[in-house]
Amino acid sequence: MVPFDIQLPTRTVFGRGKAQQTLEGLLGTYKNPLIVHGADPQRVSWLLELFDGYRSISCAGEPDIIALEAALQVARGGELAPVIAIGGGSVIDLGKAIAGLAATKKPLLNYLEVVGEGKPIDAEPLPFIAIATTSGTGAEATKNAVIGVPEHGRKVSIRDARMLADLAIVDPALTEGCPRSITLASGLDAITQLIEPYVSSRANAFTDAIIRQALEPALVAIRQLANGEDPDARDAMAYASYMSGIALSHAGLGAVHGLAGVVGGITGAAHGEICAALLVPALVINREKLKEQGQSTERLDEIEALLARHFAGYRGSTGFERLSSWVRNVGMRGPSDLGLDGENTRQIATLAQNSSSMKANPADLSIQDLSRILSLEG
């Protein structure tokens, strides 16, 4: 049996209406927090009204090193305070990075993977609460924060077990009203983050158990949400997203996420949409290469059969083809629509080979193989 070492948020609260109820119980503990939220503070007015005193930082998009530096100046500009991040994965990643690095003294490159030294943080993090308002990245359950580095044209992580949230709140009611495009893109990110750990070289009994429980309901839910609001589907996707964060933290990811960090850095495309575009091509190429390398394709075959059942009725003779057909049918863009072409695919593939996400990919993929993933339309 594959060994595993479980690292989770100190406390997780899941359920409708649990966000406000839980925070009201912590008002005496979390005084004068630094609140990180999305572009519109009115969307979280209920949270801001809970505290007599707070400072706030707005995160309007996926955070980069420039935004993180500015946010750290705000955090360090007064008495260091607990950090509460409420929003999607970008907001939670920024809040997580602030909490993790606010007390540090060294330059950011000391802590950034790939483009920097990737060292553990060297000061005690601030208390951190993560509240998810989208169902996609599972950032509320992970120990890393993804930060864009425009100078290098890619996104990389700051990673340390002490960056796990002291409290993760997953209240599916907070995801209701999320725009359809974001719901589908983030949902496909969560599904990718369940599939990649399941087929990865580091899959283990713990991650297998949570993935098998979460993946099939997520496949049902995302089809329901493509057609309109559904509370049960929102619940299933919120659960799947949280479990996907745990799964990727304990079994790794693969080529989709290895490529996505570079593609996002170069093209500026949203992470969830990149995952939606690359999932099927990556699954196809991985199965092809495993066969060539004389390795088992059992797990990929299992995923293909699951997709074939859940996307029956859509064009294609295989589960991979049917998922791809559904993804295009609901309006997600393909690789060529995201700004990928023959001129930049090899550059992206070369950079992606060194990504931390590639370490658990099930097959050994060459630069040519990765370029093919970027070129296939599914």
Side-chain angles (χ1 to χ4, degrees), residues 55-74:
R55 288 177 293 159
S56 67
I57 292 174
S58 174
C59 177
E62 295 182 355
D64 60 21
I65 194 169
I66 299 168
L68 176 55
E69 289 276 19
L72 286 171
Q73 288 185 15
V74 173

Side-chain angles (χ1 to χ4, degrees), residues 113-114 157 159 202 253 258 352-360:
E113 294 179 346
V114 183
S157 283
R159 192 183 311 271
R202 288 167 41 197
L253 289 164
Q353 266 207 323
N354 297 321
S355 166
S356 59
S357 294
M358 286 298 304
K359 295 176 182 178

